[in-house]
């Protein structure tokens, strides 16, 4: 046993003062009484219990001293030493990918892992715990939290994000957190190979909580549709990842109307694929395929697509400056150069960029015109100004210098000027016309040039009422009108999802499906599709790698016992009060 508050030892002066007081107290005189009537009886009592007789004669003194000494003992903070483990830093990495929703008997792997996390938290009271979720951008849910109730509440709030786990990023993130002082890292996932861990992690212990359940999975591996003169043609590729043949039903639905276009049955052999083709379907802009089958993973049993004319290729006129081609390459498009005939041939399937104004009257798709091949430029001066237009939402061209301009098109709308002269125009068909050669400006030296190229290509590369395809939680800039209300995202059933400030910070929803976004008065559709990696279920064992010093070491703890003596102290004070009340003397 030890004393935790030695500094309080000065309180021992109180029992010492009481002791001195009794030494110098008034003493009574012994008086002889000439009677021996009770002498023999008194002597017998004294001989039988001399200590009790002494206690009776000095009860108040003993009680006061005991109470004071016990009080001093409590103030000194007595404790018993005990061995206890050192509370190290524990990090929980939680896999929130879609495959965590697989499971048998209506219990998902994610739910089981949540229960396991709660057990670990309860078993480590007072230890700092950090929770990290996986994804393209790992997220810290809580950091070094010691409150058990807070940790359990945060675990209950965890949800599947449907995006690929990108576990290597989460591991590096956890290493950076636990690099100082070591950490005990627990990974809750379905499977993780041992090769993911470096041999140099001496201060980090890794515990992998995998899943050894062998699951049956029948998935829609591929789903596509195209419009033909005879109607819509769709193909569905179904994959069976199990040891037995599987049968079920496939259903195609028009998501905008809710109409079931067809329902058919299918069969697929164990470990094989089957390809289903459906022709002459009614026209539909948003199409969903769903298979109804008894497997252990429902997320990949549904797929949805948008039917549109989205393109990702650009054909640049060989007569334009090389910087024009480089700008389109910088925004991630497949770029090629071509002649006037090649541009015309590719106009319906790619974005055409040229100075040949004859393409403005040919084809059915809008083009981008930079300069003019039928007129000569004239010198201009003045500042560049633009109106509020989606093309300039993220591209500020006010600092661009332009030395000469071509004559404008009288029937086109001017959206940017140099002084009073039109600089950029738009036709009713949607053609974008820049009335200057790139070499007559310093625009390529400004960051607004590739941003303008991106905005122009986004406006032309897809239908005006669609935003294209996304994967869960994908961050991608989209063309917006720059309205103050931002972009509002809804489901097709008009259920509100989220509001995004502007198109440059657009983040797709987590759950796969078809959504619509409202930008001011306009409304566009976009699709969120499950990544291919999340359609594959893997089996993984649980194991542990490494050992931290914090897990091996122990320290001498202190179990405070002073509170155990509070009740005895109160009891002594009560007895002392009773002695005073009854008037027992101190002789």
């Amino acid at each position: 046993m030890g004393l935790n508050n030695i500094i309080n030892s000065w309180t021992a002066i109180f029992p010492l003062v009481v002791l001195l007081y009794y030494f110098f107290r008034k003493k009574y005189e012994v008086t002889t009484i000439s009677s021996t009537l009770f002498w023999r009886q008194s002597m017998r009592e004294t001989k039988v219990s001399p200590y009790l007789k002494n206690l009776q004669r000095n009860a108040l003194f003993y009680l006061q001293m005991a109470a004071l000494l016990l009080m001093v003992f409590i103030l000194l903070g007595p404790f018993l030493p005990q061995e206890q483990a050192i509370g190290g830093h524990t990090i929980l990495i939680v896999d929130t990918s879609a495959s965590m929703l697989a499971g048998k008997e209506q219990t998902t792997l994610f739910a089981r892992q949540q229960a396991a996390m709660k057990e670990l938290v309860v078993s480590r009271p007072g230890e700092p715990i950090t929770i990290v979720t996986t994804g393209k951008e790992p997220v810290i849910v809580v950091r070094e939290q010691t409150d058990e109730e807070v940790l359990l509440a945060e675990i209950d709030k965890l949800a599947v994000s449907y995006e690929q786990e990108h576990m290597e990023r989460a591991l590096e993130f956890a290493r950076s957190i636990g690099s100082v002082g070591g950490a005990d890292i627990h990974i809750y996932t379905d499977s993780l190979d041992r090769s993911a861990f470096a041999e140099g992690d001496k201060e980090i212990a890794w515990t992998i909580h995998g899943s050894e359940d062998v699951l049956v999975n029948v998935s829609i591996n591929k789903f596509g549709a195209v419009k033909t003169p005879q109607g819509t043609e769709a193909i569905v590729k179904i994959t069976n990842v199990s040891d037995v043949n599987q049968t079920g039903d496939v259903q195609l639905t028009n998501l905008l109307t809710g109409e079931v276009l067809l329902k058919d049955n299918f069969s697929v052999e164990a470990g094989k694929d089957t390809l289903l083709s459906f022709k002459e379907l009614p026209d539909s802009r948003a199409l969903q395929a769903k298979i109804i089958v008894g497997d252990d993973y429902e997320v990949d049993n549904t797929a949805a697509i948008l039917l549109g004319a989205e393109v990702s290729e650009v054909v640049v006129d060989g007569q334009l400056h090389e910087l024009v081609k480089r700008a389109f390459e910088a925004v991630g498009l497949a770029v090629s150069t071509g002649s006037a005939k090649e541009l015309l041939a590719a106009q319906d399937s790619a974005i055409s960029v040229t100075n040949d104004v004859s393409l403005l009257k040919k084809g059915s798709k809008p083009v981008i015109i930079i300069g003019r091949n039928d007129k000569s430029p004239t010198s201009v001066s003045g500042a560049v100004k633009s109106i509020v237009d989606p093309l300039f939402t993220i591209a500020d061209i006010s600092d661009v210098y332009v030395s000469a301009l071509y004559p404008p098109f009288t029937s086109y709308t001017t959206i940017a000027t140099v002084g009073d002269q039109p600089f950029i125009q738009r036709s009713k068909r949607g053609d974008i016309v820049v009335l200057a050669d790139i070499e007559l400006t310093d625009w390529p030296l400004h960051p607004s040039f590739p941003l303008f190229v991106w905005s122009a290509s986004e406006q032309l590369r897809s239908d005006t009422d669609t935003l294209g395809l996304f994967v869960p939680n994908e961050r991608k800039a989209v063309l917006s009108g720059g309205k103050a209300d931002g972009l509002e995202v809804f489901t097709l059933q008009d259920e509100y999802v989220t509001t995004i400030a502007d198109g440059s910070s657009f983040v797709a929803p987590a759950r796969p499906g078809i959504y619509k976004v409202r930008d001011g008065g306009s409304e566009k559709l976009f699709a969120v599709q499950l990544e291919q990696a999340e359609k594959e279920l893997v089996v993984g064992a649980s194991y542990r790698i490494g050992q931290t010093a914090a897990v091996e070491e122990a320290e001498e703890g202190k179990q405070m016992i002073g509170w155990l003596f509070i009740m005895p102290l109160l009891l002594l004070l009560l007895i002392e009060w009773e002695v005073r009340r009854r008037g027992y003397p101190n002789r």
Side-chain angles (χ1 to χ4, degrees):
M1 187 179 69
L3 300 176
N4 195 48
N5 299 321
I6 300 297
I7 192 172
N8 290 334
S9 59
W10 65 270
T11 56
I13 193 174
F14 294 116
L16 182 61
V17 169
V18 173
L19 181 63
L20 292 175
Y21 164 76
Y22 275 97
F23 281 157
F24 296 100
R25 69 182 174 85
K26 181 180 178 180
K27 297 184 178 180
Y28 296 93
E29 296 180 359
V30 179
T31 303
T32 303
I33 299 175
S34 58
S35 175
T36 61
L37 182 61
F38 303 105
W39 174 255
R40 292 182 179 179
Q41 181 180 354
S42 177
M43 289 300 293
R44 284 198 301 268
E45 292 178 357
T46 303
K47 291 178 180 179
V48 170
S49 54
Y51 300 107
L52 180 61
K53 205 68 175 178
N54 185 46
L55 179 61
Q56 290 176 345
R57 292 176 180 176
N58 301 282
L60 190 60
F61 167 73
Y62 288 127
L63 288 171
Q64 288 176 340
M65 289 299 294
L68 287 172
L69 290 173
L70 190 58
M71 182 184 68
V72 171
F73 181 68
I74 293 174
L75 291 176
L76 289 175
F79 66 86
L80 293 176
Q82 65 175 3
E83 292 292 319
Q84 64 181 18
I86 297 176
H89 188 187
T90 302
I91 301 176
L92 310 183
I93 300 179
V94 187
D95 185 350
T96 58
S97 61
S99 59
M100 296 293 287
L101 292 176
K104 292 181 176 293
E105 301 177 354
Q106 304 300 318
T107 302
T108 65
L109 174 59
F110 190 76
R112 297 205 308 270
Q113 298 288 38
Q114 280 181 301
M117 284 184 272
K118 290 181 180 180
E119 291 180 4
L120 180 66
V121 168
V122 172
S123 68
R124 301 189 176 188
E127 291 191 19
I129 296 179
T130 298
I131 301 177
V132 178
T133 57
T134 62
K136 186 173 291 185
E137 298 176 2
V139 176
I140 294 180
V141 179
V142 292
R143 182 159 190 169
E144 297 187 25
Q145 178 61 251
T146 57
D147 192 319
E148 181 179 306
E149 293 185 1
V150 173
L151 289 166
L152 295 178
E154 292 297 334
I155 291 174
D156 284 331
K157 293 178 184 178
L158 293 175
V160 171
S161 64
Y162 291 90
E163 66 176 307
Q164 189 176 349
E165 67 272 15
H166 296 282
M167 187 61 74
E168 67 283 351
R169 300 186 182 185
L171 295 181
E172 288 301 323
F173 192 56
R175 283 189 181 100
S176 64
I177 298 175
S179 59
V180 179
D184 186 16
I185 302 178
H186 291 252
I187 304 172
Y188 296 88
T189 183
D190 49 5
S191 177
L192 186 60
D193 193 83
R194 292 175 180 266
S195 61
F197 304 100
E199 296 180 358
D201 297 333
K202 296 182 180 179
E203 296 298 323
I204 297 177
W206 304 90
T207 303
I208 290 76
H209 303 266
S211 173
E212 298 183 5
D213 294 339
V214 179
L215 303 176
V216 175
N217 183 30
V218 182
S219 65
I220 298 179
N221 190 279
K222 300 287 184 182
F223 175 47
V226 63
K227 292 182 179 180
T228 66
Q230 292 77 29
T232 301
E233 182 177 345
I235 58 170
V236 181
K237 182 181 179 181
I238 301 176
T239 301
N240 177 15
V241 184
S242 70
D243 297 331
V244 296
N245 299 341
Q246 297 288 337
T247 60
D249 296 327
V250 59
Q251 179 177 292
L252 297 184
T253 306
N254 184 339
L255 288 178
L256 298 184
T257 63
E259 178 187 2
V260 177
L261 303 181
L262 68 84
K263 188 173 183 179
D264 198 2
N265 52 45
F266 71 89
S267 62
V268 55
E269 297 180 7
K272 297 292 184 66
D273 302 327
T274 185
L275 187 64
L276 307 179
S277 178
F278 306 99
K279 299 180 180 181
E280 299 182 4
L281 298 173
D283 289 338
S284 174
R285 289 181 51 236
L287 198 61
Q288 181 192 69
K290 181 179 181 180
I291 57 174
I292 304 170
V293 64
D295 66 350
D296 300 321
Y297 185 39
E298 294 185 359
V299 178
D300 59 359
N301 292 354
T302 304
I305 59 170
L306 289 173
L307 278 74
E310 184 177 339
V311 296
S312 59
E313 296 182 0
V314 177
V315 181
V316 178
D317 195 325
Q319 296 183 7
L320 295 181
H321 198 282
E322 180 68 18
L323 290 175
V324 176
K325 179 182 177 182
R326 298 297 183 190
F328 280 95
E329 290 176 344
V331 299
L333 297 175
V335 183
S336 60
T337 56
S339 62
K341 291 183 179 180
E342 293 171 331
L343 287 166
L344 182 60
Q347 189 174 356
D348 290 338
S349 60
I351 299 174
S352 298
V353 185
T354 181
N355 63 353
D356 188 352
V357 297
S358 65
L359 267 67
L360 294 171
K361 298 180 180 180
K362 299 177 181 179
S364 59
K365 300 292 184 181
V367 297
I368 299 177
I369 301 294
I370 299 179
R372 295 185 63 168
N373 64 346
D374 62 337
K375 301 289 183 179
S376 299
T378 57
S379 299
V380 295
S381 62
V384 175
K385 298 179 182 179
S386 61
I387 65 173
V388 177
D389 189 272
L391 283 177
F392 309 118
T393 301
I394 59 174
D396 182 12
I397 62 173
S398 59
D399 55 352
V400 174
Y401 170 74
V402 181
S403 62
L405 290 174
Y406 288 96
F409 294 89
T410 55
S411 61
Y412 289 5
T413 301
T414 299
I415 58 177
T417 60
V418 178
D420 296 330
Q421 300 298 315
F423 174 34
I424 302 176
Q425 294 183 305
R426 181 187 286 114
S427 70
K428 294 181 179 180
R429 189 177 70 169
D431 303 287
I432 299 172
V433 180
V434 179
L435 297 169
D437 294 325
I438 292 301
E439 54 267 30
L440 297 178
T441 72
D442 67 347
W443 202 359
L445 302 178
H446 297 268
S448 62
F449 183 58
L451 294 176
F452 173 83
V453 167
W454 175 84
S455 298
S457 60
E458 281 294 307
Q459 198 168 86
L460 270 62
R461 69 192 290 258
S462 62
D463 291 342
T464 57
D465 55 356
T466 62
L467 288 181
L469 301 178
F470 296 81
V471 296
N473 300 309
E474 180 180 1
R475 293 180 179 270
K476 186 167 68 173
V478 299
L479 196 62
S480 65
K483 304 295 182 181
D485 296 337
L487 303 174
E488 296 180 318
V489 180
F490 297 85
T491 65
L492 289 181
Q493 292 74 35
D494 287 323
E495 296 177 358
Y496 173 78
V497 178
T498 186
T499 297
I500 300 171
D502 57 77
S504 61
S505 58
F506 186 84
V507 181
R511 187 182 294 272
I514 303 295
Y515 296 85
K516 54 186 176 183
V517 57
R518 292 173 184 167
D519 182 12
S522 64
E523 187 174 280
K524 298 183 178 182
L525 299 177
F526 66 94
V528 178
Q529 295 184 344
L530 195 66
E531 295 177 82
Q532 196 65 29
E534 293 307 307
K535 298 179 182 181
E536 301 172 359
L537 301 182
V538 291
V539 177
S542 298
Y543 56 92
R544 183 174 177 86
I545 296 178
Q547 188 79 9
T548 64
V551 175
E552 294 174 341
E553 294 178 358
E555 67 176 5
E556 186 181 87
K558 299 176 181 179
Q559 182 180 4
M560 307 305 296
I561 59 174
W563 63 274
L564 296 174
F565 298 92
I566 294 178
M567 286 303 297
L569 175 62
L570 294 177
L571 182 61
L572 286 174
L573 293 175
L574 179 63
I575 296 173
E576 180 190 2
W577 176 81
E578 183 68 17
V579 169
R580 286 180 179 275
R581 188 176 70 83
R582 293 180 179 274
Y584 287 124
N586 284 279
R587 291 189 289 268

